[in-house]
Amino acid sequence: MTSTPTVPSGRVIAPRAMAGLRRVVGLPGAGVTIAFLVLCVALAFASDYFLTVGNLTVVLRQSVWVAIMGIGMTFVIGMGEIDLSVGAILGISGLAAAIWIQSGVNIYLAVVAALLLGAVIGACNGLLVTILHLPSFVATLGAMSVLRGIIMVITGGVPVYGLRYPEFQFIGQGFIGPFPFPVVILAAVFAEFAYVLYRTPFGRHVLSIGSNAHAARLAGISLTAVRVTVFMISGLLCAIAGVILASRSEAATADAGQGMELDVIAATIIGGTVMTGGKAVLYGTVVGAMLMTTIRNGLNLLGVSPLWQQVVIGAFIIISVAGSMLASRRADGDA
Amino acid sequence: MPSTPSMPVVEMTGIGKSFGGVPVLRNVDLRLDSGTVVGLLGANGAGKSTLIKILSGVYSADSGTVSVDGQHLGSASVTEAQRLGIRTVHQELSLVPSLRVYENVYLHAELTKGRRTPFAPLDRETMIRESRHVLRDVLGIEVDVRATVEDLPIATRQLVEIARAVHERAKVLVLDEPTTSLEAREKAQLFQVVRDLRNQGVAVIFISHHLDEVTDLCDRTIVLRDGAVVVDAPTAELSARDMVTAMTGRLVDHQYPKKQVELGEPVLAVAGLTREPVYRDVSFVLRRGEILGVVGLAGSGKTELIRGLAGSHPAASGSVTRNGSAVRLGSIRQARRLGLIYLPSDRKVAGIFPEHSVAWNTTISALQRIMGRFGLSPTRELSTVNAAIDEYGMKVSGPDQVISRLSGGNQQKVMLARSLLGNADVLLLEDPTRGIDVAAKNDVYELITSLVEAGKSVVLVSSEETEVLGMCDQILVMREGRVRANLAASDTSLPQIRLIAMSSEGDDE
């Protein structure tokens, strides 16, 4: 840039701004955030109702389940594994809480027990992957089917209704100040696990295993302990989501969480976490979850049929992941 | 000895080949007669594999001609070379493991009923019958041709690969280090097959580092050194010592930055270490400040030995004493707690975390050192890593640089820094300079020297004998799973080490 002085200053700023922009766009999770903001602006123009406090609260609340489970999934995928049983764990822990409460167990005890159940199921997934060396895809696919089956056996397809106890209702419906309690839970979970992922040796170990498990083993990392713990975290977070859902709907239905594993995986991948592991973008997952809810919400406001919403969301997943892969390939110098 | 009248099948004349301006082959003549087995010898980098690749059509020569049965082999074409009857069996076999034996024999040449189109029904009966004929009647081996290849022992797979070559009427069979992973009985079987083929008129090129095998099997022996033929003579006229001398030649004196360090107390003593069938009864004593070298051919057990010390593939029996007390090296973590840290030769596969930064890669084994009040402290990490960058002379743009962008030498410096931050006291280095350019190699040697000066000890397993000779104090030479000699580096020579590593003739040394 030796010729800079002869060039009018406005022209110099432009490439600098471009470089700055490119740096921002290159940041992990930037893609999903930009897409989210663009969508919000577009919807604000398209629908008068979108930017109301009421609607935004709805969007945030509806994202909570996928976001909380997505935080667990971010650990799992960051470690180079997958967990297909998340929706089923959500279902069975919500059901367990409901049954225990209805049979007279102390509400707090029932909730804690349901959370433990989720963690134990997650740990079992981890043991299948580490001790039996099953691919996590297979182990958790099997677990999903087993858990769904158990739910059907227990309920016979009939929901457990009538969870109208103020302490329990508060979990999914209460407010702390202006904030819905589920959103507070999400914030707390996010803060805790952002710390775990980025500021503890454990978090580094998780991503190191995702990056190169062989090297991680030689570096002295205990693959078994880390893997089991990560699946346990995923199970625990699904149970939290399950309890929130049961509280919100005051019931536990047999199909709770069905198909949700796909939304959770999609939110994680859209958020910038690499499918093959090694890199994880935790806030990207939360934004990814909100983005998907917003798309649904926006299409609803615009009067688009729910049948078409599936098509739009599917196309969006493909386009966004293809776009981010293209961007990272360019960043690698087309290597 | 063969009675078939010899006639040249292959004539390579005046072959020259350079890579990036560096000559690899210089005016090489190679004549192959039908019905003979020719041994091709040479140290690593002598040009053996380049010569073979030119013959099998992978590379084309810069100068010189190759003709097979009087037909000129033009530009590089594997298909053309195969059509002329040249078949190479590489160390890494090219069979499809999940397919059956007969399917492999007929791979890409499947027989069909009726017209040969990709979707015509396969003629299994004929393929099975013909494969069985080749294996049993021509090669004399009993194999179930319906067996799946991955269920067969390595030796049998090799024979299947040879069967494929024979079935396709190979006139020239190139065996590239075929015995590396074979046991004695399997070797005998392979050799019998090779002799049978020779008697049927096939010309065989046999590449091996095992001189006893060459003496045993080959009619003629060719030795390559620095890309030129230095010996081409009937094997009967050569001793193992002659072969080693020819391979080694006059040594170019390379200066290694070796410093004599006062050796301290024993830090690691090993007695009777055994892991059948790869190594047995290995014993040595490593002292503080000492560099112990382990050399041997591929398959000698040296790699498995260092992995045993690292705890990744523990020894089955034998005793280990660390700083005077008996210990077990049962797992990687156990070995690491004892200060034994292993750096694998293949950094990409087992060393680095490719998408992560230099900082990440440096501190991963010592994260407790960079803990602050709120977990991992970025400032502590930065200062730790910056200190390591200076100390190890890493050429990086900064701690944030992604490690896969670094050269091999700089990656190796990161690996060394990682192990020392992780409290390494005995470094187990496996080919630490493989894939590293000359300048960076010297940096690595200097780092190793400064480590032992600082009171660390090193076990250096290497496939470069010169490196071991130049850097080590004590040298173990392994052959076929046993330590054949324990030499003081000051008291031995490259030919002596090679002779012991490559031939039983060296055992009297």
Side-chain angles (χ1 to χ4, degrees):
Chain A
M1 295 295 278
T2 46
S3 59
T4 307
T6 62
V7 180
S9 58
R11 281 213 192 142
V12 181
I13 291 168
R16 233 183 251 163
M18 278 304 287
L21 189 65
R22 212 170 293 149
R23 191 135 34 109
V24 170
V25 171
L27 286 177
V32 69
T33 312
I34 292 168
F36 180 63
L37 294 177
V38 168
L39 185 68
C40 286
V41 171
L43 283 174
F45 280 110
S47 162
D48 293 339
Y49 182 69
F50 178 77
L51 262 192
T52 60
V53 174
N55 186 54
L56 290 182
T57 310
V58 168
V59 168
L60 199 54
R61 262 186 166 168
Q62 284 178 346
S63 316
V64 162
W65 301 289
V66 171
I68 288 180
M69 292 158 84
I71 287 169
M73 188 65 79
T74 306
F75 276 72
V76 173
I77 293 183
M79 193 173 66
E81 306 285 346
I82 193 85
D83 187 349
L84 297 178
S85 65
V86 289
I89 299 181
L90 174 144
I92 203 160
S93 22
L95 177 67
I99 291 176
W100 286 328
I101 289 171
Q102 292 298 41
S103 66
V105 177
N106 172 293
I107 287 173
Y108 297 105
L109 199 64
V111 167
V112 170
L115 301 188
L116 275 178
L117 177 70
V120 168
I121 295 172
C124 290
N125 280 335
L127 292 175
L128 290 177
V129 170
T130 50
I131 309 281
L132 292 186
H133 299 284
L134 288 183
S136 52
F137 190 97
V138 176
T140 59
L141 183 70
M144 172 174 87
S145 182
V146 167
L147 295 173
R148 283 271 162 232
I150 292 175
I151 291 172
M152 289 311 288
V153 169
I154 292 176
T155 63
V158 183
V160 178
Y161 283 120
L163 297 167
R164 290 195 195 83
Y165 309 93
E167 302 98 311
F168 189 66
Q169 284 168 310
F170 182 79
I171 298 172
Q173 305 175 26
F175 278 82
I176 291 187
F179 304 107
F181 190 55
V183 175
V184 175
I185 296 177
L186 170 61
V189 165
F190 177 77
E192 167 64 18
F193 284 97
Y195 176 81
V196 170
L197 186 59
Y198 298 119
R199 282 298 181 100
T200 64
F202 176 78
R204 288 252 169 125
H205 292 170
V206 170
L207 297 182
S208 293
I209 293 175
S211 166
N212 185 344
H214 199 39
R217 197 170 81 96
L218 287 183
I221 296 169
S222 166
L223 302 193
T224 308
V226 173
R227 282 183 173 145
V228 172
T229 310
V230 163
F231 277 101
M232 201 168 78
I233 289 172
S234 176
L236 172 70
L237 293 181
C238 295
I240 292 178
V243 170
I244 297 174
L245 181 62
S247 160
R248 171 130 186 85
S249 52
E250 296 172 3
T253 58
D255 64 351
Q258 193 131 29
M260 215 184 246
E261 51 281 341
L262 299 182
D263 281 0
V264 172
I265 293 168
T268 309
I269 299 300
I270 293 173
T273 296
V274 182
M275 193 73 208
T276 48
K279 287 231 152 170
V281 189
L282 202 62
Y283 87 92
T285 302
V286 177
V287 178
M290 292 201 292
L291 179 60
M292 290 209 304
T293 319
T294 309
I295 294 175
R296 286 214 175 93
N297 179 265
L299 293 174
N300 273 333
L301 294 181
L302 298 177
V304 177
S305 140
L307 306 175
W308 276 104
Q309 293 181 14
Q310 284 300 105
V311 177
V312 173
I313 289 190
F316 181 79
I317 291 171
I318 293 173
I319 293 168
S320 70
V321 174
S324 74
M325 284 177 70
L326 219 68
S328 74
R329 209 176 310 158
R330 187 157 305 163
D332 285 351
D334 293 316
Chain B
M1 287 295 107
S3 51
T4 354
S6 294
M7 48 173 293
V9 191
V10 171
E11 282 199 279
M12 302 175 85
T13 40
I15 300 293
K17 179 78 182 170
S18 308
F19 289 109
V22 182
V24 180
L25 291 175
R26 283 183 270 221
N27 198 23
V28 170
D29 293 337
L30 177 82
R31 192 187 121 126
L32 279 179
D33 297 328
S34 65
T36 51
V37 182
V38 172
L40 185 57
L41 289 174
N44 293 333
K48 293 179 310 242
S49 47
T50 309
L51 185 64
I52 292 313
K53 281 179 176 157
I54 290 172
L55 177 61
S56 47
V58 179
Y59 298 149
S60 57
D62 295 344
S63 58
T65 57
V66 182
S67 62
V68 183
D69 267 346
Q71 287 196 61
H72 190 70
L73 178 63
S75 58
S77 158
V78 177
T79 342
E80 178 66 6
Q82 291 190 347
R83 199 185 57 79
L84 293 173
I86 294 164
R87 286 280 156 175
T88 308
V89 178
H90 294 283
Q91 260 174 295
E92 306 83 22
L93 300 180
S94 60
L95 301 177
V96 182
S98 56
L99 292 184
R100 295 168 194 282
V101 169
Y102 74 88
E103 289 169 327
N104 268 292
V105 171
Y106 278 93
L107 202 65
H108 296 312
E110 290 84 358
L111 299 182
T112 51
K113 295 174 181 158
R115 282 198 313 137
R116 272 184 87 162
T117 64
F119 296 102
L122 290 171
D123 184 359
R124 291 178 196 283
E125 293 73 26
T126 315
M127 288 196 283
I128 290 172
R129 199 175 55 239
E130 286 296 309
S131 308
R132 197 177 284 145
H133 166 72
V134 168
L135 280 158
R136 196 175 50 201
D137 304 337
V138 181
L139 298 180
I141 20 180
E142 285 298 329
V143 181
D144 177 9
V145 295
R146 291 165 196 256
T148 306
V149 163
E150 63 197 345
D151 297 335
L152 300 174
I154 297 282
T156 317
R157 292 188 212 180
Q158 225 153 24
L159 295 173
V160 170
E161 182 128 356
I162 293 174
R164 181 157 86 188
V166 170
H167 168 72
E168 289 168 1
R169 309 197 185 289
K171 289 180 205 155
V172 179
L173 185 62
V174 180
L175 300 175
D176 187 1
E177 297 197 44
T179 57
T180 307
S181 44
L182 301 191
E183 290 167 29
R185 194 180 49 80
E186 300 171 328
K187 266 184 209 175
Q189 190 181 23
L190 173 71
F191 286 6
Q192 193 50 51
V193 168
V194 171
R195 288 195 183 97
D196 288 349
L197 287 174
R198 172 184 65 191
N199 295 342
Q200 290 163 30
V202 177
V204 181
I205 298 182
F206 181 80
I207 300 175
S208 176
H209 288 293
H210 296 270
L211 305 182
D212 299 351
E213 296 170 7
V214 172
T215 309
D216 186 21
L217 185 68
C218 300
D219 306 308
R220 224 171 86 222
T221 299
I222 294 174
V223 182
L224 281 180
R225 187 175 75 225
D226 300 330
V229 174
V230 287
V231 167
D232 185 346
T235 310
E237 296 171 11
L238 298 170
S239 69
R241 192 178 293 274
D242 296 335
M243 295 179 194
V244 167
T245 312
M247 283 168 61
T248 309
R250 207 175 64 79
L251 288 175
V252 185
D253 221 14
H254 179 79
Q255 286 303 311
Y256 285 87
K258 169 79 180 163
K259 286 189 188 136
Q260 284 310 323
V261 176
E262 183 97 11
L263 298 189
E265 79 285 0
V267 290
L268 182 70
V270 160
L273 214 60
T274 299
R275 182 183 165 98
E276 293 288 358
V278 281
Y279 57 86
R280 52 202 151 282
D281 203 17
V282 174
S283 306
F284 63 82
V285 176
L286 177 71
R287 302 162 76 92
R288 186 163 301 287
E290 187 175 35
I291 307 179
L292 168 77
V294 185
V295 292
L297 302 175
S300 63
K302 65 178 196 302
T303 314
E304 290 80 2
L305 174 65
I306 198 169
R307 288 178 189 168
L309 298 175
S312 78
H313 299 75
S317 63
S319 71
V320 180
T321 314
R322 171 88 173 103
N323 289 335
S325 41
V327 294
R328 245 177 62 76
L329 302 172
S331 72
I332 290 168
R333 288 157 67 76
Q334 217 167 14
R336 290 185 69 96
R337 272 197 294 274
L338 293 164
L340 273 68
I341 293 188
Y342 165 58
L343 267 68
S345 66
D346 199 334
R347 288 178 300 275
K348 277 209 179 68
V349 172
I352 64 168
F353 301 103
E355 64 271 74
H356 289 291
S357 65
V358 168
W360 178 298
N361 274 282
T362 305
T363 56
I364 188 66
S365 290
L367 292 172
Q368 68 287 349
R369 289 192 181 206
I370 57 164
M371 291 297 275
R373 224 176 321 163
F374 299 103
L376 299 172
S377 152
T379 43
R380 285 193 187 190
E381 175 158 45
L382 205 63
S383 61
T384 309
V385 174
N386 276 326
I389 289 175
D390 288 347
E391 189 179 344
Y392 295 91
M394 300 173 197
K395 290 179 193 73
V396 297
S397 63
D400 287 337
Q401 190 170 18
V402 174
I403 193 164
S404 52
R405 300 278 178 91
L406 299 184
S407 66
N410 280 303
Q411 290 181 1
Q412 191 64 288
K413 290 174 195 172
V414 172
M415 293 296 293
L416 279 166
R418 181 199 293 174
S419 18
L420 286 149
L421 273 178
N423 288 328
D425 187 49
V426 176
L427 282 138
L428 308 170
L429 307 180
E430 182 189 346
D431 271 319
T433 61
R434 181 184 290 173
I436 292 180
D437 66 74
V438 178
K441 268 187 183 179
N442 212 55
D443 287 355
V444 171
Y445 294 138
E446 274 173 8
L447 274 178
I448 295 174
T449 304
S450 65
L451 292 180
V452 290
E453 279 182 317
K456 309 288 182 193
S457 311
V458 173
V459 177
L460 172 65
V461 166
S462 177
S463 42
E464 278 185 49
E465 301 99 334
T466 46
E467 167 178 291
V468 168
L469 204 55
M471 289 299 297
C472 296
D473 303 290
Q474 185 187 176
I475 300 176
L476 303 185
V477 187
M478 294 187 72
R479 195 181 71 244
E480 288 161 358
R482 284 176 180 277
V483 174
R484 303 293 170 165
N486 184 340
L487 309 163
S490 53
D491 198 29
T492 183
S493 65
L494 188 56
Q496 186 189 17
I497 292 175
R498 282 202 175 143
L499 191 63
I500 299 169
M502 299 170 89
S503 160
S504 52
E505 205 177 293
D507 285 352
D508 324 323
E509 298 283 323

